[in-house]
Amino acid sequence: MKRSTIQLEVKGSIPDVIKKVLAWHKPHRDKMIGLFNRYDGEGIPIQSRVIKDPKKPNNKLVHDYRGYIIDQVVGYLFGKPIGYQIDKRDYTDAQFKVFKNKLSDFTVLNAVDDLDGELGKLMSICGYASRLLYIDTDGNERIMNVFPWESVFIENKGVVTNAIRYYTIKNEKDEDIIKVEWYDIRNVMFYIQNGDEFVPDTSEKDGPHLFDNVPLILFPNNDEEKGDFEKTETLIDAYDKIMSDSVNEIETFANAYMKFKGADVDAEVIENAKQTGAFEVDENGDVDFITKNINDTFVENNKKTLNENIHKFSSSVDMTDEKFSGGSQSGESRKWKMLSLENKAGKKALKFSKGLRQQFKVLCSAWARKNIPLNYLDIFWEFKRNVPIDLLYIGDYSQKMKGIHSDRTLLSQIPYIDDVDYEMDLMQQEKEESINLDHFMNDRIPNERNNNPNEQQNEEGDQVING
């Protein structure tokens, strides 16, 4: 079941609808907060483990597989900024220049590169994330990321009709209360919790949000809206437990026990032994240490199996595995070992693109009010994988594809070029500023010859040298 969207036809009192929606969303909210806390290293099950005997060691080792899984895919997909472009075919050069500058200003003003990466992280952890568009006090179009546990969407017949952003604030009594922003396709209204009810927030002004659609945008991680490490949490917890218990065993083993046979031992005898380093026993007596056998092979095999399953079922890559990082591995071989990560990143990019398309649809409606009629369908973007670059390979590929593809297409395939239009402008500028020396010399030589008094032309126009 989706965590982000409730199917509901909005009727009657909006405060009553808000109560109903927030009650429905509460278990999903609690679930997502828990996921984020565990990614952040808090609320890990091993941390709250209690052992009945307080004298026994109780190590609580946390292995950050959750952070590793999320950070790997986010770095892989969002480590290089998404490249935003405009299809210029349907516009004049003057129009394209205006639109391009507007899009560039928007991405710079909002630090979109950073916001995209953080939004990708949130949706990967919690299953979905949200982004809010708004107009700032200077009249600029702005965006901000919204925590998924603070946003919920209302859908009717497959269309999002309303969205709610809600969060906790302190009232004048220093009590926690909920503040709600209610969005429809035209307006935003503000409500605040008063006991068990929601009432209009008189400290805020309701009114148009200046977009032609709901400005809170949904970015799902997948159709099920599940986080990337959710399916492997039991495996991760088992790894924490087996490692903690292994250390417990070692620590217990360090506290060695002694066995006495045929001897009476009391505290005084033990104290004397500490000073002299010897025990006195009769001829039939014996003193030795009790040793505990630990099946380290069994433990290591369990650890290895858990580690492999965590990576396999989370579609992540163990970069320390000899099968991946070994010196005998080729680049092509590593690509195949990254196939599961690439598949996950590809699906994530498709879902993120769905949110971006809706974002630009809403954004362009505000630009249209400023007489900037850019069709949101003419904005496109490209995800570039954050992997080491073989510059020689890239150069060879680009040279061989010259004439087969356009310069724009070839430039878009070069990983370190983020803005293709900017790069093409630089290339054109260099071309215009460069001097064609061959053409320059050809222009100079005839003039020099015409000025040579020892040269004249015959009737066919050939030059001859006067002896």
Side-chain angles (χ1 to χ4, degrees):
M1 182 174 62
K2 290 187 176 182
R3 299 167 176 168
S4 65
T5 308
I6 182 174
Q7 302 293 326
L8 180 68
E9 184 178 359
V10 177
K11 292 182 178 179
S13 167
I14 292 179
D16 290 342
V17 175
I18 290 174
K19 282 182 61 178
K20 180 177 181 179
V21 172
L22 297 196
W24 170 86
H25 196 242
K26 186 179 186 308
H28 302 300
R29 171 188 171 88
D30 295 340
K31 175 74 172 179
M32 290 184 288
I33 291 176
L35 289 170
F36 186 85
N37 286 340
R38 289 194 291 279
Y39 163 80
D40 206 31
E42 301 294 334
I44 309 296
I46 192 67
Q47 293 174 327
S48 58
R49 185 174 74 165
V50 177
I51 292 180
K52 293 182 179 179
D53 188 349
K55 296 182 179 179
K56 288 186 176 181
N58 183 17
N59 288 281
K60 304 173 183 181
L61 307 184
V62 175
H63 299 80
D64 191 24
Y65 277 103
R66 295 172 177 88
Y68 183 90
I69 291 167
I70 297 300
D71 294 344
Q72 184 181 82
V73 71
V74 171
Y76 180 65
L77 186 59
F78 298 97
K80 288 188 177 296
I82 300 173
Y84 294 96
Q85 307 290 334
I86 298 174
D87 187 347
K88 62 186 297 184
R89 292 174 297 178
D90 294 333
Y91 305 106
T92 65
D93 290 342
Q95 286 179 314
F96 176 72
K97 184 176 181 180
V98 171
F99 298 157
K100 177 186 171 184
N101 290 338
K102 190 66 177 176
L103 180 61
S104 177
D105 291 344
F106 173 78
T107 56
V108 172
L109 178 64
N110 288 280
V112 169
D113 295 349
D114 180 58
L115 287 179
D116 285 344
E118 289 300 310
L119 193 70
K121 182 178 76 174
L122 284 174
M123 61 184 266
S124 298
I125 296 170
C126 299
Y128 78 91
S130 307
R131 177 170 283 176
L132 177 65
L133 289 91
Y134 65 99
I135 307 296
D136 67 13
T137 54
D138 294 325
N140 297 312
E141 295 80 18
R142 303 298 299 272
I143 56 175
M144 62 177 290
N145 294 337
V146 177
F147 290 121
W149 55 85
E150 294 181 352
S151 59
V152 58
F153 299 83
I154 300 173
E155 192 174 275
N156 184 24
K157 298 179 180 179
V159 178
V160 174
T161 59
N162 300 88
I164 294 174
R165 178 190 176 209
Y166 67 104
Y167 46 93
T168 301
I169 62 172
K170 295 285 188 181
N171 62 10
E172 62 276 3
K173 299 179 181 179
D174 201 34
E175 299 170 331
D176 288 336
I177 58 173
I178 298 174
K179 184 169 182 174
V180 174
E181 299 172 10
W182 170 273
Y183 294 93
D184 60 25
I185 62 173
R186 290 285 182 271
N187 301 296
V188 56
M189 291 178 282
F190 300 91
Y191 296 87
I192 199 164
Q193 185 180 19
N194 184 14
D196 293 333
E197 303 296 327
F198 287 93
V199 298
D201 184 1
T202 56
S203 66
E204 302 277 5
K205 185 178 180 182
D206 299 344
H209 48 61
L210 303 179
F211 299 98
D212 289 345
N213 217 312
V214 177
L216 190 62
I217 311 298
L218 171 65
F219 285 77
N221 190 45
N222 45 53
D223 286 339
E224 301 78 21
E225 294 184 351
K226 295 286 187 180
D228 286 355
F229 59 73
E230 278 193 66
K231 293 181 180 180
T232 61
E233 285 212 277
T234 55
L235 297 174
I236 296 171
D237 294 338
Y239 193 93
D240 287 344
K241 185 176 181 180
I242 195 172
M243 288 296 294
S244 298
D245 288 343
S246 296
V247 176
N248 288 344
E249 290 290 344
I250 294 172
E251 188 172 327
T252 302
F253 183 71
N255 298 325
Y257 292 93
M258 299 190 74
K259 179 182 71 176
F260 298 90
K261 179 181 178 181
D264 293 329
V265 179
D266 55 21
E268 183 179 355
V269 172
I270 295 293
E271 190 62 32
N272 289 333
K274 288 180 180 181
Q275 297 175 8
T276 63
F279 286 97
E280 181 180 355
V281 295
D282 60 29
E283 59 182 6
N284 296 321
D286 186 24
V287 177
D288 60 6
F289 284 100
I290 299 175
T291 61
K292 185 174 185 179
N293 294 323
I294 300 176
N295 191 340
D296 56 342
T297 301
F298 175 77
V299 173
E300 287 300 318
N301 286 339
N302 266 329
K303 286 166 52 182
K304 181 180 178 182
T305 300
L306 286 171
N307 178 70
E308 290 176 349
N309 286 341
I310 290 169
H311 288 293
K312 178 169 67 176
F313 296 125
S314 65
S315 298
S316 58
V317 178
D318 186 356
M319 296 293 182
T320 63
D321 188 351
E322 183 68 22
K323 296 178 182 178
F324 179 84
S325 60
S328 61
Q329 301 296 321
S330 66
E332 198 64 27
S333 172
R334 290 189 178 97
K335 287 181 181 179
W336 283 103
K337 290 180 174 62
M338 292 179 65
L339 184 60
S340 59
L341 175 62
E342 173 58 35
N343 289 338
K344 179 170 69 172
K347 294 177 183 177
K348 198 181 297 289
L350 291 176
K351 295 301 182 183
F352 200 88
S353 293
K354 183 178 179 181
L356 286 178
R357 181 61 64 203
Q358 182 64 19
Q359 169 190 299
F360 284 115
K361 179 180 179 180
V362 176
L363 178 62
C364 286
S365 69
W367 286 349
R369 297 172 185 268
K370 297 180 177 180
N371 198 28
I372 304 175
L374 173 60
N375 186 343
Y376 74 95
L377 296 176
D378 290 329
I379 302 175
F380 63 97
W381 46 87
E382 181 183 7
F383 294 85
K384 296 182 179 180
R385 306 306 191 250
N386 188 18
V387 293
I389 301 172
D390 185 345
L391 294 177
L392 291 178
Y393 171 80
I394 294 295
D396 184 56
Y397 166 82
S398 301
Q399 193 67 31
K400 289 179 178 178
M401 293 296 105
K402 187 77 171 178
I404 299 176
H405 297 302
S406 68
D407 288 344
R408 176 182 290 274
T409 299
L410 287 177
L411 289 173
S412 69
Q413 296 303 308
I414 299 178
Y416 54 81
I417 295 179
D418 297 324
D419 190 333
V420 174
D421 289 315
Y422 178 71
E423 185 68 21
M424 293 187 71
D425 288 344
L426 289 180
M427 292 170 64
Q428 181 63 29
Q429 182 179 342
E430 288 183 356
K431 184 177 179 181
E432 292 173 354
E433 292 176 353
S434 65
I435 299 175
N436 189 330
L437 295 179
D438 292 337
H439 185 267
F440 175 77
M441 293 302 297
N442 288 336
D443 287 343
R444 294 269 307 182
I445 290 172
N447 293 334
E448 292 175 354
R449 288 176 176 173
N450 291 337
N451 294 330
N452 188 344
N454 294 325
E455 295 182 2
Q456 65 181 22
Q457 292 182 335
N458 60 18
E459 291 179 356
E460 285 75 21
D462 296 330
Q463 290 179 335
V464 296
I465 305 297
N466 291 328

